[in-house]
């Protein structure tokens, strides 16, 4: 059963094409096409990595000590991927931003990061990067009317983004 889950995930790429955006210059549309294609090709492997990290993949039964029907009842999963990710993620600590001599916050980064609870967000970004091999930060204007900060910093998993 484990082999079928792995092979099914890896043999079925996401069927999705980049949308045609009206008014987007041809060069930009070409970049969007490349980004979507990269995401589409990488998505099955990223989904498999996430399933390993979530403890959803069962090991292959070698048939040496435990009969197949008993293996199904036990429900053993592979737990080492999650342990490897959390062990490494726990050793990485966010210390802040070094803004050069004197430590003056000349760009206002300390307040921006504090407004976005970046100290909390970075832990999730690190775990995602260790699981998927990469993670992203997006920065966009916030909706201050709804209580967001002026600038919103958000982490994105490789399952939902790509970069060139």
């Amino acid at each position: 059963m484990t082999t079928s889950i792995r092979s099914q995930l890896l043999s079925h790429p996401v069927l999705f094409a980049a949308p045609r955006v009206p008014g987007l210059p041809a060069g930009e549309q070409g970049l969007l096409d490349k980004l979507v294609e990269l995401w589409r090709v990488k998505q099955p492997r990223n989904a498999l990595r996430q399933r390993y990290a979530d403890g959803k993949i069962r090991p292959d039964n070698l048939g040496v000590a435990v009969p197949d029907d008993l293996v199904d009842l036990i429900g053993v999963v592979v737990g080492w991927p999650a342990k490897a990710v959390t062990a490494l993620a726990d050793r990485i600590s966010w210390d802040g931003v070094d803004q050069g001599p004197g430590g003056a916050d000349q760009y206002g980064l300390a307040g921006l990061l504090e407004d976005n609870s970046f100290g909390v967000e970075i832990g999730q970004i690190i775990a995602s990067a260790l699981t998927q091999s990469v993670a992203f930060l997006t920065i966009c204007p916030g909706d201050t009317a709804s209580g967001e900060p002026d600038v919103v910093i958000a982490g994105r998993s490789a399952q939902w983004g790509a970069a060139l």
Side-chain angles (χ1 to χ4, degrees):
M1 179 166 193
T2 305
T3 306
S4 67
I5 291 172
R6 278 187 238 139
S7 62
Q8 183 180 8
L9 280 172
L10 295 177
S11 67
H12 290 83
V14 177
L15 298 175
F16 184 80
R20 298 286 158 235
V21 180
L24 192 64
E28 302 269 329
Q29 183 66 52
L31 286 175
L32 178 61
D33 293 346
K34 287 179 184 177
L35 281 168
V36 170
E37 180 62 15
L38 178 64
W39 172 82
R40 190 186 74 74
V41 169
K42 298 289 185 179
Q43 179 60 15
R45 186 75 177 163
N46 286 335
L48 179 63
R49 287 182 179 134
Q50 191 62 53
R51 288 184 60 88
Y52 268 112
D54 292 341
K56 305 274 187 195
I57 300 291
R58 298 173 58 180
D60 293 332
N61 185 17
L62 301 177
V64 176
V66 182
D68 285 334
D69 56 342
L70 190 56
V71 168
D72 291 336
L73 293 174
I74 295 173
V76 176
V77 295
V78 177
W80 62 262
K83 185 167 182 75
V85 166
T86 55
L88 286 172
D90 289 347
R91 297 182 57 87
I92 299 171
S93 61
W94 171 256
D95 290 337
V97 177
D98 182 2
Q99 298 189 48
D105 189 10
Q106 58 186 342
Y107 301 110
L109 290 177
L112 177 65
L113 295 174
E114 185 178 324
D115 290 347
N116 282 276
S117 303
F118 193 72
V120 175
E121 180 92 12
I122 191 67
Q124 296 169 353
I125 297 165
I126 289 168
S128 180
L130 292 171
T131 300
Q132 307 294 334
S133 300
V134 68
F136 308 102
L137 286 175
T138 60
I139 301 171
C140 60
D143 181 10
T144 55
S146 68
E148 291 180 343
D150 292 337
V151 176
V152 175
I153 302 172
R156 301 285 183 236
S157 163
Q159 285 192 282
W160 305 107
L164 296 173

